[in-house]
């Protein structure tokens, strides 16, 4: 690795963003390609002196909030945000981003697995306090396959919602879903936990303002139940009623059950499961 990859990355990305892209006026006397340091610093809410130190490699430990603000202004893609985060970690931010505490439990009790089998073919999952998907029904796998939620080895609902471009197409009411997800994270997870802090630091960089603004807002209690819409690419619009069942243990696990909220959704879920309409019944209320 080069001696100052973080600084080089910031400088080259700054030079690649035009003033017009960030709402600044352009003029004939600009000698600097892209943004001036002072312009980027002002838009990111940091001092020009600090940005100079970062670009010159004299400061290699920017906070996640600084990285996130710079990524927002530089209009970085998700992959570029991930790269920026890795470069910052390599430069000395490991102490902030790495976890030292015990991991949330990844083990699901046999009785909970048995309960999931009883719920088939209803889409249902077991999650821990940081949103990791630990187990799911076959019905959920068929429901989520086209959405991309289970595409990765360790799926996480919060990470998917805020960093996967498909999520905004999947959830027509994305802002409301995002509000609910952050409310559940803040209510259910111990924010002093190092792994929660690591996830927050990661999404501060990779998701930017849509995530950080919600984390900075006044806390609100999560909804344990409610309806939400899914634009499913295979079977069309779905209206789902979700129930959250907290498991009585110290692992911070819950079961999220997705029930059809109308007859059209019930029939669509039956089609996904290869069943004759009528296997699932809509719930009201």
């Amino acid at each position: 690795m080069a001696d100052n990859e973080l600084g080089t990355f910031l400088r080259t990305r700054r030079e690649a963003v035009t003033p017009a892209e960030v709402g600044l006026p352009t003029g004939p006397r600009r000698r600097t390609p892209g943004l001036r340091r002072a312009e980027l610093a002002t838009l990111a809410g940091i001092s020009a002196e600090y940005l100079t130190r970062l670009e010159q490699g004299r400061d290699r430990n920017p906070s996640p909030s600084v990285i996130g603000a710079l990524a927002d202004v530089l209009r970085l893609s998700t992959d570029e945000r991930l790269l920026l985060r890795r470069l910052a970690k390599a430069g000395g931010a490991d102490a902030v981003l790495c976890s030292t505490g015990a991991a949330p439990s990844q083990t699901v009790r046999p009785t909970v697995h048995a309960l999931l089998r009883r719920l088939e073919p209803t889409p249902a999952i077991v999650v821990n306090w940081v949103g990791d998907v630990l187990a799911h029904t076959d019905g959920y796998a068929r429901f989520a396959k086209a959405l991309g939620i289970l595409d990765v080895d360790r799926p996480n609902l919060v990470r998917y919602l805020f960093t996967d471009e498909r999520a905004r197409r999947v959830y027509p009411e994305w802002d409301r879903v995002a509000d609910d997800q952050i409310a559940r994270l803040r209510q259910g997870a111990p924010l002093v936990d190092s792994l929660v802090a690591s996830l927050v630091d990661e999404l501060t960089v990779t998701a930017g303002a849509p995530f950080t603004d919600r984390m900075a807002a006044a806390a609100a209690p999560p909804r344990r139940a409610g309806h939400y819409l899914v634009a499913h690419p295979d079977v069309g619009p779905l209206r789902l009623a979700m129930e959250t069942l907290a498991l009585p243990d110290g692992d911070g696990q819950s079961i999220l059950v997705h029930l059809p909220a109308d007859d059209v959704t019930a029939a669509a879920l039956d089609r996904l499961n290869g069943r004759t309409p009528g296997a699932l019944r809509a719930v009201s209320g």
Side-chain angles (χ1 to χ4, degrees), residues 13-14 17-25 30 34-48 51 65-75 209 213:
R13 290 304 304 152
R14 171 172 61 81
V17 177
T18 66
E21 288 180 297
V22 293
L24 295 177
R30 296 185 67 92
L35 297 179
R36 299 185 179 101
R37 276 186 184 146
E39 292 169 336
L40 173 57
T42 298
L43 292 170
I46 61 176
S47 70
L51 178 58
S65 60
V66 168
I67 299 172
L70 289 169
D72 284 345
V73 178
L74 294 173
R75 306 167 69 87
D213 289 351

Side-chain angles (χ1 to χ4, degrees), residues 1-10 50 54-55 57 59-71 76 79-98 201-202 204-206:
M1 177 178 286
D3 185 56
N4 185 27
E5 286 197 312
L6 173 62
T8 300
F9 180 84
L10 289 173
Y50 182 55
L54 287 176
E55 290 192 357
D59 190 308
R60 299 172 184 242
N61 193 25
S63 69
S65 60
V66 168
I67 299 172
L70 289 169
L76 299 187
D79 288 342
E80 289 169 332
R81 287 170 181 267
L82 289 170
L83 174 59
L84 177 58
R85 180 173 181 261
R86 286 197 295 270
L87 294 177
K89 289 179 67 177
D94 301 73
V96 176
L97 295 172
C98 290
D201 291 347
E202 173 195 335
T204 295
V205 177
T206 58

Side-chain angles (χ1 to χ4, degrees), residues 15 77 84 126 139 162 168 202:
E15 293 175 351
S77 67
L84 177 58
V126 178
F162 283 94
R168 289 183 180 266
E202 173 195 335

Side-chain angles (χ1 to χ4, degrees), residues 136-243:
H136 53 77
T137 60
D138 291 340
Y140 184 83
R142 288 185 282 268
F143 160 75
K145 180 179 180 181
L147 310 184
I149 297 173
L150 301 179
D151 282 358
V152 296
D153 291 336
R154 295 186 62 182
N156 179 281
L157 297 181
V158 185
R159 186 179 289 112
Y160 168 81
L161 184 66
F162 283 94
T163 65
D164 195 307
E165 294 179 356
R166 292 169 290 189
R168 289 183 180 266
R169 297 193 298 269
V170 166
Y171 299 110
E173 300 172 322
W174 186 90
D175 285 309
R176 187 167 68 88
V177 175
D179 290 343
D180 288 345
Q181 191 66 258
I182 293 303
R184 284 196 293 271
L185 176 66
R186 296 175 72 177
Q187 176 82 7
L191 293 181
V192 295
D193 180 86
S194 56
L195 281 163
V196 176
S198 180
L199 178 66
V200 171
D201 291 347
E202 173 195 335
L203 294 179
T204 295
V205 177
T206 58
F211 176 78
T212 56
D213 289 351
R214 286 175 168 83
M215 290 297 295
R223 296 188 307 159
R224 295 298 179 184
H227 296 88
Y228 70 100
L229 302 177
V230 170
H232 199 283
D234 290 342
V235 293
L238 303 175
R239 186 167 178 262
L240 296 167
M242 191 179 73
E243 286 287 345

